[in-house]
Amino acid sequence: MASALPITPTDPDPSFAELLAGRPHLSMHALDGLMVEGVPLHRVAALAGTPTWVTSAGALRRRARALKAALAAAGLQAGIHYAVKANTGLAVLRVLAAEGLGADVVSEGELRAARAAGIPAAAIVFSGVGKTERELRLALAEDIAQINVESAEEVEMLSALATTLGRVARVALRVNPDVDAKTHAKITTGRSENKFGVAIDDAPALYARMAALPGLEPVGVATHIGSQITSGMAAYRAAYVRLAELVQALRLAGLPVKHVDCGGGLGIPYRDEPAPSPEALAGAIKATLGGLGLPVMLEPGRWIAGPPGLLLASVVLQKQGAARRFLVLDAAMNDLVRPAMYEAWHGILPVSPVDFVAPVGPADVVGPVCETGDTFARGRAMPSLSPGALVAFLDAGAYGAAMSSTYNMRPLAAEVLVDGDRFAVVRERQSYAALLGDQRLPDWLTE
């Protein structure tokens, strides 16, 4: 779930002002410093401490509405199911539910989170290559909108389970179109060597099998070719052309197809790289699938949740090494793993208005975890920062908090939602008691 951009790019980084200009929910106040909507981040730090995840509700709404508007302007009948894996926060889900978005889930936990946030079962799609019997039982009991099956083995298992439970599962067949989305190798999902979906050439026979089995109602076909797609619409068009051909073949065979699930993957500019717009994606869908006369479904995650979120951190100390200056923060790779895992680039802004305009020089921005990989940026242009100074990692709302861990026995960070000039802690910082609380010593070690 990442950008393929390295943490040490070869061309000049955007300036602080350029990073700020591209993110309308952020501003720099002459006295209060960096603000999210109407809330100064120093106030958030004073209340919640650091590191803390901060999400703009207004930005979430604007992005949801922009995507809906682009699809409507293209004349598409489209349903949007937010990919919960990008950010599983209940407050985030509630904001998006209020905007009319459904949910795309890949686990029992995500399904339960979507329901707890008020997303109706009729607006939930369950994807994933390894759904367990327990998870499928829950999906059937909740009577969700659709289960995207990804193998012949899953088809047989779901049929048997639904029949035993006296249920009918609405199913879409996820196909692998063997299209290279030109994204990071760890997040491509539409190539023949990837684990996802069934080969598109095998789809007609398996779809016919689904139609013949008890307990199943085939409703469509689905695909998802990758995440953080910024190389334009060529990969989308290639995949959707193959989907359109498949739908036509299924119709010729007399098989029902009610809609097409286009997946997600639309990328965002983490740095200053070009990224396709919702309008471009809507145009690609219209050009390739519009002639089918079918509703479509989309499952965006990063595009919705990425830019509205940031990670607020404090400087522990500034260390001058033999050859490099290090800014050591209280945030670490256990909080934001994307740079360590994918060499992903995130903008980093000083929060203080004084630090924002201070002279800059190269620094390695690192965390306190005992791993050399605990590095957010190398040679980044940063001012000299004193202990306690605040910095903000931009575009961290997707695959940030959701991928965090307690490595080095570091508690999970707090989470805050900003809405206009209001803000609230929506997830308390994990306590050390909670961090240890689910561990038990066996009897023979306590005697």
Side-chain angles (χ1 to χ4, degrees):
M1 318 299 169
S3 162
L5 291 173
I7 60 177
T8 313
T10 56
D11 49 336
D13 291 330
S15 68
F16 294 155
E18 289 169 335
L19 287 170
L20 194 61
R23 292 152 179 87
H25 58 292
L26 302 179
S27 62
M28 179 57 65
H29 189 277
L31 297 178
D32 279 328
L34 189 61
M35 301 182 68
V36 176
E37 300 189 37
V39 175
L41 282 173
H42 72 80
R43 286 181 53 203
V44 174
L47 174 70
T50 57
T52 290
W53 303 98
V54 183
T55 301
S56 162
L60 286 171
R61 294 188 187 104
R62 283 194 298 274
R63 297 185 75 80
R65 293 170 188 177
L67 182 55
K68 289 196 293 184
L71 295 166
L76 295 168
Q77 184 182 347
I80 303 174
H81 297 78
Y82 164 69
V84 174
K85 61 180 176 291
N87 188 315
T88 59
L90 291 184
V92 168
L93 297 178
R94 178 61 67 91
V95 169
L96 296 178
E99 292 299 312
L101 270 60
D104 170 55
V105 305
V106 295
S107 70
E108 176 180 344
E110 289 186 4
L111 174 52
R112 292 186 181 279
R115 297 291 287 122
I119 297 176
I124 295 177
V125 174
F126 201 141
S127 303
V129 71
K131 308 176 198 71
T132 65
E133 182 177 308
R134 174 187 167 109
E135 288 173 327
L136 291 173
R137 283 179 178 272
L138 177 63
L140 289 167
E142 290 283 329
D143 195 25
I144 67 170
Q146 177 176 302
I147 298 172
N148 288 349
V149 291
E150 302 209 21
S151 66
E153 293 81 0
E154 184 182 7
V155 167
E156 300 292 338
M157 178 174 69
L158 182 56
S159 170
L161 187 59
T163 302
T164 299
L165 296 175
R167 300 274 186 167
V168 175
R170 290 175 291 275
V171 292
L173 181 61
R174 178 173 176 175
V175 299
N176 188 321
D178 195 20
V179 168
D180 186 358
K182 306 297 183 184
T183 187
H184 195 288
K186 293 183 179 179
I187 53 173
T188 186
T189 60
R191 299 175 66 183
S192 59
E193 63 263 34
N194 298 139
K195 67 182 179 180
F196 300 97
V198 301
I200 199 164
D201 291 340
D202 297 335
L206 184 53
Y207 201 92
R209 175 65 174 160
M210 287 161 49
L213 284 170
L216 302 182
E217 179 192 352
V219 294
V221 293
T223 195
H224 176 67
I225 59 173
S227 183
Q228 183 56 8
I229 299 171
T230 57
S231 56
M233 290 295 109
Y236 279 121
R237 287 176 176 269
Y240 296 159
V241 163
R242 300 209 71 190
L243 275 188
E245 293 169 349
L246 173 60
V247 170
Q248 291 164 349
L250 295 175
R251 283 174 162 174
L252 285 174
L255 296 167
V257 181
K258 296 183 178 180
H259 52 245
V260 177
D261 187 339
C262 298
L266 192 63
I268 61 173
Y270 281 96
R271 194 165 172 264
D272 54 2
E273 68 274 23
S277 66
E279 290 77 13
L281 178 60
I285 294 172
K286 180 72 172 180
T288 53
L289 298 170
L292 297 175
L294 293 174
V296 297
M297 301 161 63
L298 278 82
E299 293 156 359
R302 184 193 314 273
W303 196 89
I304 296 286
L310 60 81
L311 177 61
L312 183 62
S314 297
V315 174
V316 175
L317 55 86
Q318 181 170 262
K319 172 183 175 179
Q320 182 59 54
R324 310 178 75 86
R325 176 170 66 110
F326 296 94
L327 286 175
V328 185
L329 308 181
D330 62 356
M333 63 186 289
N334 73 290
D335 301 301
L336 180 60
V337 75
R338 297 186 69 254
M341 182 177 287
Y342 305 114
E343 295 192 331
W345 196 98
H346 283 269
I348 308 172
L349 292 183
V351 170
S352 160
V354 175
D355 293 337
F356 190 82
V357 297
V360 298
D364 287 6
V365 184
V366 302
V369 159
C370 293
E371 298 271 358
T372 302
D374 185 23
T375 298
F376 296 114
R378 296 187 182 92
R380 186 72 62 90
M382 296 293 293
S384 179
L385 295 175
S386 302
L390 299 172
V391 298
F393 289 85
L394 305 183
D395 307 310
Y399 308 107
M403 295 180 74
S404 59
S405 74
T406 58
Y407 183 49
N408 276 198
M409 289 298 283
R410 292 171 48 84
L412 296 174
E415 298 180 26
V416 164
L417 184 74
V418 172
D419 201 348
D421 59 0
R422 302 174 296 178
F423 73 98
V425 176
V426 294
R427 181 174 179 174
E428 297 288 345
R429 187 176 311 282
Q430 187 179 28
S431 68
Y432 284 102
L435 188 61
L436 292 167
D438 59 358
Q439 296 193 47
R440 299 289 184 271
L441 292 173
D443 292 344
W444 67 84
L445 292 182
T446 59
E447 295 172 352

